[in-house]
Amino acid sequence: MSTPFLSEDPGIRPRRPMMALVLANTMLSTVPGISGAGPTPEKTLLTPILDAELVTTGAITSMLVRPNTPTGCPTPATITRSMIELTGLAPVLINAGLAHTPTVPCLDVYGSPGGDPRKVDAVPHAAHLFERGEMIGRLLSQYSDFLMLGECVPGGTTTALCVLRALGYEASVSSAFARNPLDLKDAVCREVLARIDETGAKGPLDILRAAGDPMMPVAAGITSTYSGDIIFAGGTQMLAVAATLKALGKRVPPLATTVYVRDDPTAGFPGSVADVGTTAYYVDPNFAGIGHVGLARYCIGEVKEGMGAGGALTLAYLMGHEPEEITRKVFDFVRKYA
């Protein structure tokens, strides 16, 4: 394989690959200005459901909406869906704690949406969600030898920031906005860390309980029992899961994300990856030269990643699809639908 499309070859050639996406909400996404994953703060609570519908069926039919930002940038779910069509895989969706009922079939761990960690424990039953994630990890092991595990949690970069810093990392995080609202995220994080100090949360699952979102303990539990090779599909949010696993003394998978996360100067993502002690593979789908104005906005820092998009591109590559084929499929799907 050539290397420009993917920064490094993981050396994995899966015989029975699977892609799974953990869906959840955090009430932090409803704080004005924190999340760009929806047209309004309240509507960010619908984003995981709409993205799941798009990835699973190829269309959003439950509402009259199009999967674009107000500037015309396609949601990363369109990228993931295009790779689902290219590879023929059926994605496994996991409801870790959604505010609204999903419109497509999901494995359900019967969690609740994450609370605002400035005020309450964000995930009161984090330990139970971890155990239920372990059950799903054993289940998925029966049907695959490789797992690309991603997420969709609007506002999740802020919970990731809180968790990473509570675990001792001097991390920053990325954003769906082209202009990362770092001051707002830092202000939220300071309040959360002060509350953690007051409550005395120390262990990694205690930190997830106090400051995380429901996706994190479920994804960590899945990883801890999955028997095959695993790569995390995503950037800073999945890095928080990796840091949690390291603190638990568990296997820490590598990550696959886009060059748009890597190149975000406000996030310092490669440095945080090194601090956690794992590896990241960066995929470059050449959106600057693809001939689509909306996709080109990824190159100026809008959206960047989400719904496992970077991992889906990487998985298609590992399954033997050529970069030109992958890029053409993304363009064709987005032009047709988004």
Side-chain angles (χ1 to χ4, degrees):
M1 288 184 177
S2 58
T3 55
F5 183 79
L6 194 62
S7 61
E8 183 183 346
D9 185 352
I12 298 170
R13 302 296 180 268
R15 293 179 297 105
R16 295 183 298 154
M18 178 180 285
M19 184 161 193
L21 298 161
V22 185
L23 315 176
N25 288 118
T26 166
M27 290 302 113
L28 281 181
S29 76
T30 65
V31 176
I34 254 188
S35 176
T40 67
E42 281 300 322
K43 287 184 178 179
T44 60
L45 297 176
L46 290 167
T47 296
I49 291 170
L50 301 182
D51 279 358
E53 191 173 346
L54 175 57
V55 167
T56 303
T57 70
I60 295 174
T61 57
S62 60
M63 297 181 188
L64 291 175
V65 296
R66 285 292 180 186
N68 295 335
T69 70
T71 61
C73 186
T75 172
T78 59
I79 299 168
T80 303
R81 173 61 193 184
S82 68
M83 294 300 98
I84 292 300
E85 290 186 358
L86 181 63
T87 61
L89 295 176
V92 175
L93 302 174
I94 300 156
N95 179 2
L98 291 168
H100 300 282
T101 302
T103 56
V104 293
C106 297
L107 293 175
D108 200 340
V109 298
Y110 306 104
S112 301
D116 184 338
R118 296 172 299 177
K119 304 170 184 176
V120 297
D121 278 348
V123 192
H125 304 296
H128 293 300
L129 292 180
F130 180 85
E131 292 172 358
R132 291 167 186 169
E134 288 181 311
M135 295 177 186
I136 291 178
R138 295 186 189 100
L139 174 67
L140 300 184
S141 298
Q142 299 297 311
Y143 299 100
S144 61
D145 65 347
F146 172 82
L147 180 63
M148 185 67 77
L149 182 64
E151 54 74 33
C152 183
V153 187
T157 57
T158 305
T159 54
L161 178 67
C162 296
V163 167
L164 285 166
R165 289 191 178 169
L167 288 170
Y169 298 97
E170 293 296 323
S172 186
V173 293
S174 194
S175 170
F177 287 118
R179 191 186 196 101
N180 195 348
L182 286 175
D183 290 345
L184 178 56
K185 291 181 179 183
D186 283 338
V188 168
C189 188
R190 284 193 296 272
E191 287 189 59
V192 174
L193 294 180
R195 188 175 170 277
I196 287 174
D197 286 342
E198 290 174 6
T199 59
K202 298 295 183 185
L205 291 182
D206 287 334
I207 288 171
L208 294 192
R209 171 181 51 77
D213 58 59
M215 177 277 293
M216 295 177 179
V218 173
I222 291 169
T223 306
S224 70
T225 58
Y226 184 74
S227 61
D229 292 316
I230 184 169
I231 293 179
F232 281 168
T236 48
Q237 292 173 248
M238 295 307 293
L239 184 62
V241 179
T244 300
L245 287 161
K246 182 179 181 181
L248 288 168
K250 305 283 188 179
R251 166 176 62 165
V252 182
L255 298 92
T257 189
T258 65
V259 293
Y260 312 120
V261 171
R262 180 196 67 190
D263 298 341
D264 179 0
T266 67
F269 184 72
S272 294
V273 170
D275 290 343
V276 172
T278 188
T279 301
Y281 305 110
Y282 301 104
V283 61
D284 184 357
N286 188 32
F287 286 166
I290 200 172
H292 189 282
V293 173
L295 286 169
R297 296 192 65 83
Y298 277 73
C299 305
I300 62 170
E302 190 171 343
V303 181
K304 304 181 188 71
E305 170 67 279
M307 200 61 174
L313 293 165
T314 301
L315 180 54
Y317 191 57
L318 296 179
M319 291 175 67
H321 295 280
E322 293 297 324
E324 296 78 12
E325 182 187 11
I326 292 169
T327 301
R328 184 172 63 251
K329 181 62 180 178
V330 173
F331 177 80
D332 287 346
F333 181 81
V334 169
R335 181 178 59 176
K336 175 187 73 176
Y337 186 67

